Amino acid sequence: MAKDGEKSDWKEFLWNPRTREFLGRTASSWGLIFLFYLIFYTCLAGMFALTMYVMLQTLDEHRPTWQDRLSTPGLVIRPRADDTFEIVYTKEDTESWDLYAQTLDKFLQPYNDSLQAQKNHECAPDKYFIQEDSGEVKNNPKRSCQFNRTVLQSCSGIDDRYYGYREGQPCIIIKLNRVIGLLPGKDNQAPYVTCAAKKYRVGKDQWKDDADKIGELIYFPPNGTINSMYFPYYGKKAQVNYSQPLVAVKFLNITHNEDVNIECKINAENIPVGGERDKFAGRVSFKLRINSKN
């Protein structure tokens, strides 16, 4: 009997035909609750939408409002087979270095002179290419300066499609990462890239470098200079055709069959080179090893 009474109570709680209540409330009571929450969540959604709208009015789609984390640009190298920053191959083994040559070919295709002439502007060298906005009128899209592949000369892949790898004189391409608004150098002193033997620890208090193995280097453009006309960079949306300037380093007589640790860095008065905590700020390190059977 007790079980029958409990079932009856549950049924009456779900639907009471005498009072016409569902789950203990009448239709008007449920309607008022639904109306309350409808108004409540509509107000919340409206407040959220208004807040987002106001915030979006303060943003510029072409330039980030805050940019305090990237004051020093990093450097990257090409070719790069993996994340280890090691370039290792055997001079007589075509398969060991052909992938490097193909990687450079693919990377340099957008820098072909014909493509650059179609997309970009022939700028006046040795000065910043400033493109100011006119008050509230945005000067977008902004023009970009040509960086022609032929500037890299023997590292362009045009005269030597193997980029020196077959002869044991490999080319390494160095690219400066983009930082919006960066004006490197002072008093029209353009930034330049230099490469040298990297110091590494061999004991508790002992350091060593491979200066005796690195041999002679040659830079393209001459002296590893990055012309001022490629700065400032205005952002991906504002400057859609921007071509990052490159520096090529050719190793003419590096020691074969040995690891050579190399560090390249950007030199400019207003670009600090990172310390041990930020190893990629303004510099890049890699290992180069050319094996030879001769």
Side-chain angles (χ1 to χ4, degrees):
M1 296 294 292
K3 289 184 178 180
D4 292 341
E6 289 178 1
K7 288 183 180 178
S8 178
D9 290 342
W10 273 107
K11 287 181 180 180
E12 190 170 300
F13 174 71
L14 289 174
W15 172 248
N16 190 328
R18 291 180 292 102
T19 59
R20 305 186 66 81
E21 291 179 349
F22 175 69
L23 295 177
R25 292 184 180 275
T26 62
S28 60
S29 178
W30 280 115
L32 290 173
I33 290 175
F34 176 77
L35 181 62
F36 168 78
Y37 280 106
L38 178 64
I39 296 172
F40 176 71
Y41 284 112
T42 300
C43 290
L44 282 182
M47 290 176 61
F48 176 76
L50 179 62
T51 302
M52 291 297 295
Y53 174 78
V54 172
M55 184 190 70
L56 291 173
Q57 299 311 301
T58 67
L59 301 179
D60 186 341
E61 65 174 328
H62 296 99
R63 181 184 178 92
T65 304
W66 302 105
Q67 190 180 303
D68 56 349
R69 296 181 61 187
L70 291 173
S71 57
T72 302
L75 296 180
V76 293
I77 63 168
R78 293 291 185 275
R80 206 181 97 191
D82 49 37
D83 294 330
T84 59
F85 288 90
E86 295 183 358
I87 299 174
V88 181
Y89 73 94
T90 301
K91 187 173 69 169
E92 294 82 9
D93 182 5
T94 304
E95 292 185 358
S96 69
W97 51 260
D98 187 56
L99 181 61
Y100 294 135
Q102 291 181 30
T103 301
L104 289 176
D105 256 339
K106 184 177 179 180
F107 175 70
L108 291 175
Q109 279 182 4
Y111 292 92
N112 287 341
D113 291 22
S114 58
L115 291 177
Q116 289 291 312
Q118 291 174 16
K119 298 191 305 181
N120 292 336
H121 182 67
E122 190 172 350
C123 303
D126 303 326
K127 63 180 181 180
Y128 297 129
F129 189 33
I130 305 293
Q131 302 174 75
E132 297 287 357
D133 296 328
S134 301
E136 296 296 324
V137 179
K138 301 296 183 182
N139 180 21
N140 294 322
K142 299 184 187 297
R143 293 174 296 170
S144 302
C145 296
Q146 294 179 17
F147 187 94
N148 294 317
R149 185 173 179 171
T150 50
V151 171
L152 302 179
Q153 298 182 36
S154 62
C155 285
S156 66
I158 296 174
D159 297 326
D160 176 14
R161 65 189 184 95
Y162 303 120
Y163 298 90
Y165 283 81
R166 185 172 63 176
E167 292 77 23
Q169 298 181 333
C171 291
I172 305 295
I173 306 294
I174 299 170
K175 179 177 67 170
L176 182 69
N177 287 342
R178 306 178 186 190
V179 177
I180 295 177
L182 177 68
L183 295 173
K186 291 183 178 179
D187 302 323
N188 291 324
Q189 292 290 325
Y192 60 96
V193 172
T194 54
C195 296
K198 176 182 171 62
K199 289 186 177 182
Y200 55 93
R201 192 187 297 272
V202 294
K204 185 176 180 181
D205 297 313
Q206 293 181 323
W207 293 82
K208 185 182 178 182
D209 62 38
D210 298 324
D212 57 329
K213 305 175 186 176
I214 196 170
E216 185 182 356
L217 312 178
I218 185 169
Y219 298 92
F220 307 102
N223 304 315
T225 301
I226 301 177
N227 203 286
S228 302
M229 66 182 176
Y230 299 108
F231 304 99
Y233 170 59
Y234 288 97
K236 190 173 183 179
K237 285 191 174 182
Q239 212 168 3
V240 293
N241 292 326
Y242 182 75
S243 298
Q244 289 169 262
L246 308 174
V247 171
V249 185
K250 190 176 183 69
F251 295 84
L252 297 180
N253 52 357
I254 194 168
T255 301
H256 291 179
N257 301 314
E258 292 193 42
D259 293 346
V260 182
N261 294 279
I262 302 163
E263 181 178 84
C264 298
K265 63 180 181 178
I266 184 73
N267 300 273
E269 290 186 14
N270 57 347
I271 298 182
V273 177
E276 288 302 314
R277 291 187 177 182
D278 192 353
K279 296 182 179 181
F280 297 99
R283 60 180 177 173
V284 63
S285 301
F286 59 96
K287 182 178 80 174
L288 179 58
R289 181 186 178 98
I290 303 175
N291 295 316
S292 178
K293 298 177 182 178
N294 295 330

